[in-house]
Amino acid sequence: MGRWEPDAPERLVLAALDLFTEQGYENTAVAQIAERAGLTKSTFFRHFRDKREVLFGGQEVLAEMLTSGIAGAPEQAGPLAAVEAALVAVSAGLTEERRAHGPQRLAVIAGNVELRERDALKMVGFSTAMAEALCRRGVPELEASVAAELGVLAFRRGYHRWLENGGDFAEVARRTLREVRAAVAGLEGGE
Amino acid sequence: MGRWEPDAPERLVLAALDLFTEQGYENTAVAQIAERAGLTKSTFFRHFRDKREVLFGGQEVLAEMLTSGIAGAPEQAGPLAAVEAALVAVSAGLTEERRAHGPQRLAVIAGNVELRERDALKMVGFSTAMAEALCRRGVPELEASVAAELGVLAFRRGYHRWLENGGDFAEVARRTLREVRAAVAGLEGGE
């Protein structure tokens, strides 16, 4: 098994997604995932806390990227420019490998209400991470919350677009955030 | 039991919140809730699907109020004015009784990650309901999503404020949405 070890998480993810798709998330046990991947249960648990973690692993890393993107934005950047920097920073975590799994992962989540709940809280986590990072830059709390919500909206839309069309996530996210900002301007202009 | 029937849901909610607070949500069984309320398990299940429902019941009704608030806004109202109408409409569901339980309910939710996930998806549901209702008024999809997210932000903040200070939720929500709009203007003005 030793020589396969570097690939273990990837093999477990592929095996899990296939099983979730074939027989449903609820009906899949960790032992089956490990077996399908040709690995042991203890290898599974070395990489993932539980089967849900296969779908949501890496959340802390992405949140941390968002946070450092905001912290590292130029001092004179306004809140939305800092949010843009966050989305650009997070693109480092959105690899081709992740994109390859993306559609199957989304389909599994969409088919299970518990997973949709988990996913919703993940987005709340991203929003909170960005809002807190903005507050640390001196942005007033409500403006920080609004900017973070707009950032999460751009993140979600950009993510779907990126899964569909590929390309560099940073570029896709920048474009999506520009569109979100235009929509915001349209909203207030329209009344 | 017959003469108590009209009060059953309220008694069950109070019993459940007390038990969740005393011994934890996870450690509380439906049978205990029914017993504490002096009712049977079957009465419980006549009013609630499960113990989680005690905390999240009425979500569909509130979403429906948001939707009809938007549908019923004056034809010339822009997206954010329609969102304001939604928040005003939902105030009919935010009764004094609901306010009395609110802080305890929030504390129980905050203490359990599954409940936080459930709550996050509830907010996604509110956002989707508002966005769809706005689209049906001819608002472009992205503007509708942005307006709905701002509406949910105002709803959440308004709700906390209302729990703390009381008063008419409609008034609190109107004020909160005004502040959110000012924050949006501040964001774009700041760059």
Side-chain angles (χ1 to χ4, degrees):
Chain A
M1 214 174 67
R3 73 188 183 95
W4 284 104
E5 198 60 11
D7 289 333
E10 172 69 4
R11 283 164 64 194
L12 289 163
V13 167
L14 290 173
L17 286 175
D18 283 344
L19 287 163
F20 295 163
T21 306
E22 283 163 34
Q23 61 186 31
Y25 172 81
E26 315 75 33
N27 305 320
T28 301
V30 164
Q32 286 179 294
I33 298 171
E35 196 196 333
R36 172 77 63 105
L39 296 164
T40 62
K41 262 177 78 171
S42 67
T43 303
F44 180 95
F45 288 116
R46 210 155 44 239
H47 298 289
F48 304 102
R49 211 166 25 229
D50 51 35
K51 65 177 178 172
R52 230 168 61 148
E53 187 79 8
V54 174
L55 298 165
F56 295 103
Q59 176 180 346
E60 292 78 12
V61 178
L62 295 182
E64 181 48 42
M65 286 171 170
L66 291 169
T67 298
S68 10
I70 287 174
E75 209 181 323
Q76 74 282 9
L80 289 172
V83 163
E84 185 180 314
L87 298 181
V88 168
V90 91
S91 71
L94 296 178
T95 58
E96 251 322 295
E97 188 178 85
R98 222 179 166 104
R99 191 170 96 81
H101 305 152
Q104 205 181 353
R105 184 181 159 273
L106 285 187
V108 171
I109 293 170
N112 180 293
V113 68
E114 265 183 58
L115 298 175
R116 290 202 301 277
E117 291 170 359
R118 175 71 183 76
D119 196 51
L121 190 62
K122 174 176 170 173
M123 293 303 144
V124 171
F126 286 173
S127 177
T128 306
M130 287 197 277
E132 286 174 356
L134 288 167
C135 284
R136 283 193 293 272
R137 289 174 66 90
V139 177
E141 191 265 334
L142 181 53
E143 280 187 30
S145 292
V146 171
E149 288 298 339
L150 296 176
V152 167
L153 185 61
F155 175 82
R156 278 194 285 124
R157 295 177 77 93
Y159 179 74
H160 281 91
R161 198 177 256 183
W162 173 71
L163 286 188
E164 271 173 42
N165 307 320
D168 178 14
F169 180 79
E171 196 36 62
V172 177
R174 260 198 205 101
R175 181 155 43 97
T176 312
L177 186 61
R178 265 201 306 276
E179 290 168 7
V180 167
R181 292 174 76 160
V184 169
L187 276 183
E188 288 295 354
E191 287 178 64
Chain B
M1 211 174 69
R3 73 188 184 93
W4 285 104
E5 199 60 10
D7 288 334
E10 171 69 4
R11 283 164 63 194
L12 288 163
V13 167
L14 290 174
L17 286 175
D18 282 345
L19 286 163
F20 295 163
T21 306
E22 284 163 33
Q23 60 186 31
Y25 172 79
E26 315 75 32
N27 305 321
T28 301
V30 165
Q32 285 179 293
I33 298 171
E35 196 195 334
R36 173 76 63 105
L39 297 164
T40 63
K41 260 176 78 169
S42 67
T43 303
F44 180 94
F45 287 117
R46 209 156 45 241
H47 297 288
F48 303 102
R49 213 168 22 230
D50 51 36
K51 67 177 177 172
R52 230 169 59 149
E53 187 79 9
V54 174
L55 297 165
F56 295 104
Q59 176 180 345
E60 291 78 11
V61 178
L62 294 182
E64 183 49 43
M65 285 171 170
L66 292 169
T67 298
S68 13
I70 287 176
E75 211 182 322
Q76 73 283 8
L80 288 171
V83 163
E84 184 180 315
L87 299 181
V88 168
V90 90
S91 71
L94 297 178
T95 58
E96 252 320 297
E97 188 179 83
R98 221 179 166 102
R99 191 169 96 81
H101 306 152
Q104 206 180 353
R105 183 181 160 273
L106 285 187
V108 171
I109 293 171
N112 179 295
V113 68
E114 264 182 59
L115 298 175
R116 291 202 301 276
E117 291 171 359
R118 174 71 183 76
D119 196 51
L121 191 62
K122 174 176 170 172
M123 292 302 143
V124 171
F126 286 173
S127 176
T128 305
M130 286 199 276
E132 287 174 356
L134 288 167
C135 284
R136 283 193 292 273
R137 289 174 65 92
V139 177
E141 190 264 332
L142 181 53
E143 279 186 32
S145 292
V146 171
E149 289 298 338
L150 296 175
V152 167
L153 185 61
F155 175 82
R156 278 193 285 123
R157 295 176 77 93
Y159 179 74
H160 281 92
R161 197 176 258 181
W162 173 71
L163 287 188
E164 269 173 44
N165 307 321
D168 178 14
F169 180 78
E171 196 35 61
V172 177
R174 258 198 205 103
R175 180 155 44 96
T176 311
L177 185 62
R178 265 201 307 275
E179 290 168 6
V180 167
R181 292 175 75 160
V184 169
L187 276 182
E188 289 295 353
E191 286 180 64

